[in-house]
Coordinates of all heavy atoms in Angstrom, one line a residue:
M188 N -10.4 20.7 23.4 CA -10.4 20.2 22.0 C -9.1 20.4 21.3 O -8.4 21.5 21.5 CB -11.5 21.0 21.2 CG -11.6 20.5 19.8 SD -13.0 21.2 18.9 CE -14.3 20.4 19.8
Q189 N -8.7 19.4 20.5 CA -7.5 19.5 19.8 C -7.5 20.7 18.7 O -8.5 20.9 18.1 CB -7.1 18.3 19.1 CG -5.8 18.2 18.4 CD -5.4 16.8 17.9 OE1 -6.2 15.9 17.8 NE2 -4.1 16.6 17.7
Q190 N -6.4 21.3 18.5 CA -6.3 22.4 17.5 C -5.5 21.8 16.3 O -4.4 21.2 16.5 CB -5.5 23.6 18.0 CG -6.2 24.2 19.3 CD -7.3 25.2 18.8 OE1 -7.1 26.0 18.0 NE2 -8.4 25.0 19.4
F191 N -5.9 22.1 15.1 CA -5.1 21.8 13.9 C -4.6 23.1 13.3 O -5.3 24.1 13.2 CB -6.0 21.1 12.8 CG -6.4 19.7 13.1 CD1 -7.2 19.0 12.4 CD2 -5.7 18.9 14.2 CE1 -7.5 17.6 12.7 CE2 -6.0 17.7 14.5 CZ -6.9 17.0 13.7
P192 N -3.4 23.1 12.8 CA -2.8 24.3 12.2 C -3.1 24.4 10.7 O -2.4 23.9 9.8 CB -1.3 24.1 12.4 CG -1.1 22.6 12.4 CD -2.4 22.0 12.9
C193 N -4.2 25.1 10.4 CA -4.5 25.3 9.0 C -3.4 26.3 8.4 O -3.2 27.3 9.0 CB -5.9 25.8 8.8 SG -6.3 26.3 7.1
P194 N -2.8 25.9 7.2 CA -1.8 26.8 6.7 C -2.4 28.1 6.2 O -1.6 29.0 5.9 CB -1.2 26.0 5.5 CG -1.8 24.6 5.6 CD -2.9 24.6 6.5
F195 N -3.7 28.2 6.0 CA -4.3 29.4 5.5 C -4.9 30.2 6.6 O -5.0 31.5 6.5 CB -5.4 29.0 4.4 CG -4.8 28.2 3.4 CD1 -5.1 26.8 3.4 CD2 -4.0 28.6 2.4 CE1 -4.6 25.9 2.4 CE2 -3.5 27.8 1.4 CZ -3.8 26.5 1.4
C196 N -5.4 29.6 7.7 CA -6.2 30.3 8.7 C -5.5 30.3 10.1 O -6.0 31.0 11.0 CB -7.6 29.6 8.9 SG -8.5 29.3 7.4
G197 N -4.5 29.5 10.3 CA -3.8 29.4 11.6 C -4.5 28.3 12.4 O -5.3 27.5 11.9
P198 N -4.1 28.2 13.7 CA -4.7 27.2 14.5 C -6.2 27.3 14.7 O -6.7 28.4 15.0 CB -4.0 27.5 15.9 CG -2.9 28.3 15.6 CD -3.2 29.1 14.4
R199 N -6.9 26.1 14.4 CA -8.4 26.1 14.5 C -8.8 24.9 15.2 O -8.1 23.9 15.2 CB -9.0 26.2 13.0 CG -8.5 27.3 12.2 CD -8.9 28.7 12.7 NE -10.3 28.7 12.7 CZ -11.0 29.8 13.0 NH1 -10.3 30.8 13.4 NH2 -12.3 29.8 12.9
P200 N -10.0 24.8 15.8 CA -10.5 23.7 16.5 C -10.7 22.4 15.5 O -11.1 22.7 14.4 CB -11.9 24.1 17.1 CG -11.9 25.6 17.0 CD -10.9 26.0 15.9
E201 N -10.4 21.3 16.0 CA -10.4 20.1 15.1 C -11.8 20.0 14.5 O -11.9 19.4 13.3 CB -10.1 18.9 16.0 CG -10.2 17.5 15.2 CD -10.0 16.4 16.1 OE1 -9.7 16.5 17.3 OE2 -10.0 15.2 15.7
D202 N -12.9 20.3 15.2 CA -14.2 20.0 14.7 C -14.6 20.9 13.5 O -15.7 20.7 12.9 CB -15.3 20.1 15.7 CG -15.4 21.5 16.3 OD1 -14.7 22.4 16.0 OD2 -16.3 21.6 17.2
E203 N -13.7 21.8 13.0 CA -13.9 22.6 11.8 C -13.4 21.8 10.6 O -13.6 22.2 9.5 CB -13.2 23.9 11.9 CG -13.7 24.9 12.8 CD -13.1 26.2 12.8 OE1 -12.3 26.5 11.9 OE2 -13.5 27.1 13.7
F204 N -12.7 20.6 10.8 CA -12.1 19.9 9.7 C -12.8 18.6 9.5 O -13.5 18.1 10.4 CB -10.6 19.6 10.1 CG -9.8 20.8 10.1 CD1 -9.8 21.6 11.4 CD2 -9.0 21.3 9.1 CE1 -9.0 22.7 11.4 CE2 -8.2 22.4 9.2 CZ -8.2 23.1 10.4
R205 N -12.7 18.0 8.4 CA -13.2 16.7 8.0 C -12.1 15.8 7.5 O -11.3 16.2 6.6 CB -14.3 16.8 7.0 CG -15.1 15.5 6.8 CD -16.3 15.6 6.0 NE -16.1 16.4 4.8 CZ -15.9 15.8 3.6 NH1 -16.0 14.6 3.4 NH2 -15.8 16.6 2.5
Y206 N -11.9 14.6 8.0 CA -10.9 13.7 7.6 C -11.3 13.1 6.3 O -12.4 12.8 6.0 CB -10.8 12.5 8.7 CG -9.8 11.5 8.3 CD1 -8.5 11.7 8.4 CD2 -10.3 10.2 7.9 CE1 -7.6 10.7 8.1 CE2 -9.4 9.3 7.5 CZ -8.0 9.5 7.6 OH -7.1 8.5 7.3
A207 N -10.2 13.0 5.4 CA -10.5 12.5 4.1 C -9.6 11.4 3.6 O -9.6 10.9 2.5 CB -10.4 13.6 3.1
G208 N -8.8 10.8 4.6 CA -7.9 9.7 4.2 C -6.5 9.8 4.4 O -6.0 10.9 4.8
D209 N -5.7 8.7 4.1 CA -4.3 8.8 4.1 C -3.8 9.5 2.9 O -4.2 9.4 1.8 CB -3.8 7.4 4.0 CG -4.1 6.5 5.3 OD1 -4.4 7.1 6.3 OD2 -4.2 5.3 5.1
A210 N -2.8 10.4 3.2 CA -2.0 11.2 2.2 C -1.1 10.2 1.5 O -0.4 9.4 2.1 CB -1.4 12.4 2.8
G211 N -0.9 10.4 0.2 CA 0.1 9.6 -0.6 C -0.3 8.2 -0.8 O 0.5 7.4 -1.4
R212 N -1.5 7.8 -0.6 CA -1.9 6.4 -0.9 C -2.4 6.4 -2.3 O -3.3 7.2 -2.7 CB -3.1 6.1 0.1 CG -3.5 4.6 0.0 CD -4.4 4.3 1.2 NE -5.1 3.1 0.9 CZ -6.4 3.0 1.1 NH1 -7.1 4.0 1.6 NH2 -7.0 1.9 0.9
P213 N -1.8 5.5 -3.1 CA -2.2 5.6 -4.6 C -3.6 5.0 -4.8 O -4.0 4.1 -4.1 CB -1.1 4.6 -5.2 CG -0.6 3.8 -4.0 CD -0.8 4.6 -2.8
R214 N -4.3 5.8 -5.6 CA -5.7 5.3 -6.0 C -5.6 4.2 -7.0 O -4.7 4.2 -7.8 CB -6.4 6.5 -6.6 CG -6.7 7.6 -5.6 CD -7.4 8.7 -6.4 NE -8.6 8.3 -7.0 CZ -9.7 9.0 -7.1 NH1 -9.7 10.2 -6.6 NH2 -10.8 8.6 -7.7
P215 N -6.6 3.4 -7.0 CA -6.7 2.3 -8.1 C -6.8 3.0 -9.4 O -7.4 4.1 -9.6 CB -7.9 1.5 -7.7 CG -8.2 1.8 -6.3 CD -7.7 3.2 -6.0
G216 N -6.4 2.3 -10.5 CA -6.5 2.8 -11.8 C -7.9 2.7 -12.4 O -8.8 2.1 -11.7
R217 N -8.2 3.2 -13.5 CA -9.5 3.2 -14.2 C -10.0 1.8 -14.4 O -11.2 1.5 -14.5 CB -9.5 4.0 -15.5 CG -9.3 5.5 -15.3 CD -9.4 6.2 -16.7 NE -9.3 7.6 -16.5 CZ -10.3 8.4 -16.5 NH1 -11.5 7.9 -16.8 NH2 -10.2 9.7 -16.4
D218 N -9.0 0.9 -14.7 CA -9.4 -0.5 -14.9 C -9.5 -1.4 -13.7 O -9.6 -2.6 -13.8 CB -8.5 -1.1 -16.0 CG -7.0 -1.1 -15.5 OD1 -6.7 -0.3 -14.5 OD2 -6.2 -1.7 -16.1
A219 N -9.5 -0.8 -12.5 CA -9.5 -1.6 -11.2 C -10.9 -2.3 -11.1 O -11.9 -1.8 -11.5 CB -9.3 -0.6 -10.1
S220 N -10.8 -3.4 -10.4 CA -12.0 -4.2 -10.3 C -12.8 -3.6 -9.0 O -12.3 -2.8 -8.3 CB -11.7 -5.6 -9.9 OG -11.0 -5.7 -8.7
D221 N -14.1 -4.0 -8.9 CA -14.9 -3.6 -7.8 C -14.2 -4.0 -6.4 O -14.2 -3.2 -5.5 CB -16.3 -4.2 -7.8 CG -17.1 -3.7 -9.0 OD1 -16.7 -2.7 -9.5 OD2 -18.2 -4.3 -9.3
A222 N -13.6 -5.1 -6.4 CA -12.9 -5.6 -5.2 C -11.7 -4.7 -4.9 O -11.5 -4.3 -3.7 CB -12.4 -7.0 -5.3
E223 N -11.0 -4.2 -5.9 CA -9.8 -3.3 -5.6 C -10.3 -2.0 -5.1 O -9.8 -1.4 -4.2 CB -9.0 -3.1 -6.9 CG -8.2 -4.4 -7.3 CD -7.6 -4.3 -8.7 OE1 -8.3 -3.8 -9.6 OE2 -6.5 -4.8 -8.8
W224 N -11.4 -1.4 -5.7 CA -12.0 -0.2 -5.2 C -12.6 -0.3 -3.8 O -12.4 0.5 -3.0 CB -13.1 0.3 -6.2 CG -12.6 1.1 -7.3 CD1 -12.5 0.8 -8.5 CD2 -12.0 2.5 -7.1 NE1 -11.8 1.8 -9.2 CE2 -11.6 2.8 -8.4 CE3 -11.8 3.3 -6.1 CZ2 -11.0 4.0 -8.7 CZ3 -11.3 4.6 -6.3 CH2 -10.9 4.9 -7.6
A225 N -13.2 -1.4 -3.5 CA -13.7 -1.6 -2.1 C -12.6 -1.7 -1.2 O -12.6 -1.1 0.0 CB -14.5 -2.9 -2.1
A226 N -11.5 -2.4 -1.5 CA -10.3 -2.5 -0.6 C -9.8 -1.1 -0.4 O -9.3 -0.7 0.7 CB -9.3 -3.3 -1.2
Y227 N -9.7 -0.3 -1.5 CA -9.1 1.1 -1.3 C -10.0 2.0 -0.4 O -9.6 2.7 0.4 CB -9.0 1.8 -2.7 CG -8.6 3.2 -2.7 CD1 -7.3 3.6 -2.4 CD2 -9.6 4.2 -2.9 CE1 -6.9 4.9 -2.4 CE2 -9.2 5.5 -2.9 CZ -7.9 5.8 -2.6 OH -7.5 7.2 -2.6
L228 N -11.4 1.9 -0.6 CA -12.3 2.8 0.1 C -12.5 2.4 1.5 O -12.7 3.2 2.4 CB -13.6 2.8 -0.7 CG -13.6 3.5 -2.0 CD1 -14.9 3.2 -2.8 CD2 -13.3 5.0 -1.9
Y229 N -12.5 1.0 1.8 CA -12.9 0.6 3.1 C -11.9 0.0 4.0 O -12.1 -0.3 5.2 CB -14.1 -0.3 2.9 CG -15.3 0.2 2.3 CD1 -15.7 -0.1 1.0 CD2 -16.0 1.3 2.8 CE1 -16.8 0.4 0.3 CE2 -17.1 1.9 2.3 CZ -17.4 1.5 1.0 OH -18.5 2.0 0.3
F230 N -10.7 -0.3 3.4 CA -9.7 -0.9 4.2 C -8.4 -0.1 4.2 O -7.4 -0.5 3.5 CB -9.5 -2.4 3.7 CG -10.7 -3.2 3.9 CD1 -11.5 -3.6 2.7 CD2 -11.1 -3.6 5.1 CE1 -12.6 -4.3 2.8 CE2 -12.3 -4.4 5.2 CZ -13.0 -4.7 4.1
G231 N -8.4 0.9 5.0 CA -7.1 1.8 5.0 C -6.1 1.0 5.8 O -6.3 0.1 6.5
R232 N -4.9 1.7 5.9 CA -3.7 1.2 6.5 C -3.9 1.2 8.1 O -3.6 0.3 8.8 CB -2.5 1.9 6.2 CG -1.2 1.2 6.4 CD 0.0 2.0 5.8 NE 0.0 3.3 6.2 CZ 0.9 3.8 7.1 NH1 1.8 3.1 7.6 NH2 0.9 5.1 7.5
N233 N -4.4 2.4 8.6 CA -4.8 2.6 10.0 C -3.6 2.1 10.9 O -3.8 1.5 11.9 CB -6.0 1.8 10.3 CG -6.7 2.4 11.5 OD1 -6.4 3.6 11.9 ND2 -7.5 1.6 12.2
A234 N -2.4 2.5 10.6 CA -1.2 2.1 11.4 C -1.0 3.0 12.6 O -1.5 4.1 12.6 CB 0.0 2.1 10.5
R235 N -0.4 2.5 13.6 CA -0.1 3.3 14.8 C 1.2 4.1 14.6 O 2.1 3.6 13.9 CB 0.1 2.3 16.0 CG -1.1 1.6 16.4 CD -0.8 0.6 17.5 NE -0.2 1.1 18.6 CZ -0.8 1.6 19.7 NH1 -2.1 1.6 19.7 NH2 -0.1 2.1 20.7
G236 N 1.2 5.3 15.0 CA 2.4 6.1 15.0 C 2.2 7.3 14.0 O 1.1 7.8 13.8
A237 N 3.4 7.6 13.4 CA 3.4 8.8 12.5 C 2.6 8.5 11.3 O 2.6 7.4 10.7 CB 4.8 9.1 12.1
A238 N 1.8 9.5 10.8 CA 0.9 9.4 9.7 C 0.8 10.7 9.0 O 0.9 11.7 9.6 CB -0.5 8.9 10.1
R239 N 0.6 10.6 7.7 CA 0.2 11.8 6.9 C -1.3 11.6 6.4 O -1.6 10.6 5.9 CB 1.1 11.9 5.7 CG 2.6 12.2 6.0 CD 3.5 12.2 4.8 NE 3.0 12.6 3.6 CZ 3.0 11.7 2.5 NH1 3.7 10.7 2.6 NH2 2.5 12.2 1.4
E240 N -2.0 12.7 6.8 CA -3.5 12.5 6.5 C -4.0 13.7 5.7 O -3.5 14.8 5.8 CB -4.2 12.5 7.8 CG -3.7 11.4 8.8 CD -4.3 11.4 10.2 OE1 -4.7 12.5 10.6 OE2 -4.5 10.4 10.8
L241 N -5.0 13.4 4.9 CA -5.7 14.5 4.2 C -6.9 15.0 5.0 O -7.7 14.1 5.5 CB -6.2 14.0 2.8 CG -5.1 13.6 1.9 CD1 -5.6 13.1 0.6 CD2 -4.1 14.7 1.6
W242 N -7.0 16.3 5.2 CA -8.2 16.9 5.8 C -8.7 18.1 5.0 O -7.9 18.7 4.2 CB -7.8 17.4 7.2 CG -7.4 16.4 8.2 CD1 -6.3 15.6 8.3 CD2 -8.3 15.9 9.3 NE1 -6.3 14.7 9.3 CE2 -7.5 14.9 10.0 CE3 -9.5 16.3 9.7 CZ2 -8.0 14.2 11.1 CZ3 -10.1 15.6 10.9 CH2 -9.3 14.6 11.5
I243 N -9.9 18.3 5.1 CA -10.5 19.5 4.5 C -11.0 20.5 5.6 O -11.7 20.0 6.6 CB -11.6 19.2 3.4 CG1 -12.0 20.5 2.8 CG2 -12.7 18.5 4.1 CD1 -12.9 20.3 1.5
H244 N -10.7 21.7 5.4 CA -11.2 22.7 6.4 C -12.6 23.2 6.1 O -12.8 24.3 5.6 CB -10.2 23.9 6.5 CG -10.4 24.8 7.8 ND1 -9.6 25.9 7.9 CD2 -11.2 24.7 8.8 CE1 -10.0 26.5 9.1 NE2 -11.0 25.7 9.6
S245 N -13.5 22.2 6.3 CA -14.8 22.4 5.8 C -15.6 23.5 6.4 O -16.5 24.1 5.8 CB -15.6 21.1 5.8 OG -15.6 20.6 7.2
Y246 N -15.4 23.9 7.7 CA -16.0 25.0 8.3 C -15.1 26.2 8.6 O -15.2 26.9 9.5 CB -16.6 24.5 9.7 CG -17.7 23.5 9.5 CD1 -17.5 22.1 9.7 CD2 -19.0 23.9 9.1 CE1 -18.5 21.2 9.5 CE2 -20.0 23.0 9.0 CZ -19.8 21.7 9.2 OH -20.8 20.8 9.0
G247 N -14.2 26.3 7.6 CA -13.2 27.4 7.6 C -13.0 27.9 6.1 O -14.0 28.2 5.5
C248 N -11.8 27.8 5.7 CA -11.4 28.3 4.3 C -11.9 27.3 3.2 O -11.9 27.7 2.1 CB -9.9 28.5 4.3 SG -8.9 27.1 4.5
G249 N -12.2 26.0 3.6 CA -12.6 25.1 2.6 C -11.5 24.5 1.8 O -11.7 23.9 0.7
R250 N -10.3 24.8 2.2 CA -9.1 24.2 1.5 C -8.7 22.9 2.0 O -8.9 22.5 3.1 CB -7.9 25.2 1.6 CG -8.3 26.7 1.3 CD -8.2 27.1 -0.1 NE -6.9 26.9 -0.8 CZ -6.1 27.8 -0.9 NH1 -6.2 29.0 -0.5 NH2 -4.9 27.6 -1.6
W251 N -8.0 22.1 1.1 CA -7.5 20.8 1.5 C -6.1 20.9 2.1 O -5.3 21.7 1.5 CB -7.4 19.9 0.3 CG -8.8 19.4 -0.1 CD1 -9.6 20.1 -1.0 CD2 -9.5 18.3 0.2 NE1 -10.7 19.5 -1.2 CE2 -10.7 18.3 -0.4 CE3 -9.2 17.2 1.0 CZ2 -11.6 17.3 -0.4 CZ3 -10.1 16.2 1.2 CH2 -11.4 16.3 0.5
I252 N -5.8 20.2 3.1 CA -4.5 20.2 3.7 C -3.9 18.8 4.0 O -4.7 17.9 4.1 CB -4.4 21.0 5.1 CG1 -5.3 20.4 6.1 CG2 -4.9 22.4 4.8 CD1 -5.1 20.9 7.5
E253 N -2.7 18.7 4.0 CA -2.0 17.5 4.5 C -1.4 17.7 5.9 O -0.6 18.5 6.1 CB -0.9 17.1 3.4 CG -0.2 15.8 3.8 CD 0.9 15.4 2.8 OE1 0.6 15.5 1.6 OE2 2.0 15.1 3.3
L254 N -1.9 16.8 6.8 CA -1.6 17.0 8.2 C -0.6 15.8 8.6 O -0.8 14.7 8.2 CB -2.8 16.9 9.0 CG -2.8 17.4 10.5 CD1 -2.7 18.9 10.5 CD2 -4.1 16.9 11.1
S255 N 0.5 16.2 9.3 CA 1.4 15.2 9.8 C 1.0 15.0 11.3 O 1.1 15.9 12.1 CB 2.8 15.6 9.7 OG 3.2 15.7 8.4
R256 N 0.6 13.8 11.7 CA 0.1 13.6 13.0 C 0.5 12.2 13.5 O 0.6 11.3 12.7 CB -1.4 13.7 12.9 CG -2.1 13.7 14.3 CD -3.6 14.1 14.1 NE -4.3 13.0 13.4 CZ -5.1 12.2 14.0 NH1 -5.3 12.3 15.3 NH2 -5.8 11.3 13.4
D257 N 0.7 12.1 14.8 CA 1.0 10.8 15.4 C -0.4 10.2 15.9 O -1.1 10.9 16.7 CB 1.9 11.0 16.6 CG 2.4 9.6 17.2 OD1 1.5 8.8 17.6 OD2 3.5 9.4 17.2
T258 N -0.8 9.0 15.4 CA -2.1 8.5 15.6 C -2.2 8.0 17.1 O -3.3 7.7 17.5 CB -2.4 7.4 14.6 OG1 -1.5 6.4 14.8 CG2 -2.5 7.9 13.2
V259 N -1.1 7.8 17.8 CA -1.2 7.4 19.2 C -1.2 8.5 20.1 O -2.1 8.6 21.0 CB 0.0 6.5 19.5 CG1 0.1 6.1 20.9 CG2 0.1 5.3 18.6
S260 N -0.3 9.5 20.0 CA -0.2 10.6 20.8 C -1.1 11.7 20.4 O -1.4 12.7 21.2 CB 1.2 11.1 21.1 OG 1.7 11.7 19.8
H261 N -1.5 11.8 19.2 CA -2.3 12.9 18.6 C -1.5 14.1 18.4 O -2.1 15.2 18.2 CB -3.6 13.1 19.3 CG -4.5 11.9 19.4 ND1 -5.2 11.4 18.3 CD2 -4.8 11.1 20.3 CE1 -5.8 10.4 18.6 NE2 -5.6 10.1 19.9
V262 N -0.2 14.1 18.6 CA 0.6 15.3 18.4 C 0.7 15.6 16.9 O 1.0 14.7 16.1 CB 2.1 15.1 19.0 CG1 3.0 16.3 18.6 CG2 2.0 15.0 20.5
V263 N 0.4 16.9 16.5 CA 0.5 17.3 15.2 C 1.8 17.9 14.9 O 2.2 18.9 15.6 CB -0.6 18.3 14.9 CG1 -0.5 18.9 13.5 CG2 -2.0 17.7 15.1
D264 N 2.6 17.4 14.0 CA 3.9 17.9 13.7 C 3.9 19.0 12.6 O 4.9 19.7 12.5 CB 4.7 16.8 13.1 CG 5.0 15.7 14.1 OD1 5.0 16.0 15.3 OD2 5.2 14.5 13.7
G265 N 2.8 19.1 11.9 CA 2.7 20.2 10.9 C 1.7 20.0 9.9 O 1.0 19.0 9.9
A266 N 1.4 21.0 9.1 CA 0.4 20.9 8.1 C 0.9 21.8 6.9 O 1.6 22.7 7.0 CB -0.9 21.4 8.6
K267 N 0.5 21.3 5.7 CA 0.8 22.0 4.5 C -0.4 21.9 3.5 O -1.2 21.0 3.6 CB 2.1 21.5 3.9 CG 2.0 20.1 3.4 CD 3.3 19.6 2.7 CE 3.2 18.2 2.2 NZ 4.5 17.8 1.6
P268 N -0.4 22.8 2.6 CA -1.5 22.8 1.6 C -1.3 21.5 0.8 O -0.2 21.0 0.5 CB -1.3 24.0 0.7 CG -0.4 24.9 1.5 CD 0.4 24.0 2.4
M269 N -2.4 20.9 0.5 CA -2.4 19.6 -0.3 C -2.0 20.0 -1.7 O -2.4 21.0 -2.3 CB -3.8 19.0 -0.4 CG -3.8 17.7 -1.0 SD -5.4 17.0 -1.0 CE -5.7 16.6 -2.7
N270 N -1.2 19.1 -2.4 CA -0.8 19.3 -3.8 C -2.1 19.2 -4.7 O -2.9 18.4 -4.5 CB 0.2 18.2 -4.2 CG 1.5 18.5 -3.5 OD1 1.8 19.6 -3.1 ND2 2.2 17.4 -3.3
P271 N -2.2 20.2 -5.7 CA -3.3 20.1 -6.5 C -3.4 18.8 -7.4 O -2.4 18.2 -7.6 CB -3.2 21.3 -7.4 CG -1.8 21.8 -7.3 CD -1.2 21.2 -6.0
Ligands
ZN372 ZN1 -8.3 27.1 6.8

């Protein structure tokens, strides 16, 4: 099983984490239409290669992290606490 480096707990099994989306992707504004929200929620970029992703260590410390990972090779380049 793949290990993710939690900045608070150290290396932990992937199944302790839950994926929460692309990091740095702007959210629609308060006046966004239903179609804009649907596009944001259901149609992510899903690009091949280097990616920054948001994960929560749901079966560990419960903190949010930003993970740098290659979506093809699954190599994790690093992790840092998510900005509040
Ligand atoms: Zn943790």
Side-chain angles (χ1 to χ4, degrees):
M188 176 173 296
Q189 186 171 20
Q190 299 279 311
F191 284 173
C193 178
F195 308 101
C196 308
R199 308 294 296 182
E201 177 185 357
D202 63 356
E203 291 187 5
F204 297 81
R205 185 169 53 98
Y206 177 75
D209 293 334
R212 188 167 160 226
R214 291 176 59 142
R217 289 181 179 263
D218 57 345
S220 68
D221 290 347
E223 290 170 319
W224 272 107
Y227 173 76
L228 293 172
Y229 300 112
F230 299 104
R232 198 171 58 103
N233 201 24
R235 295 173 53 92
R239 292 175 29 235
E240 302 172 332
L241 298 178
W242 291 78
I243 184 169
H244 194 182
S245 53
Y246 293 100
C248 62
R250 311 274 302 262
W251 289 88
I252 65 171
E253 182 180 312
L254 195 71
S255 297
R256 186 170 73 101
D257 188 301
T258 60
V259 177
S260 68
H261 300 287
V262 171
V263 176
D264 294 334
K267 64 180 184 180
M269 186 180 127
N270 292 332

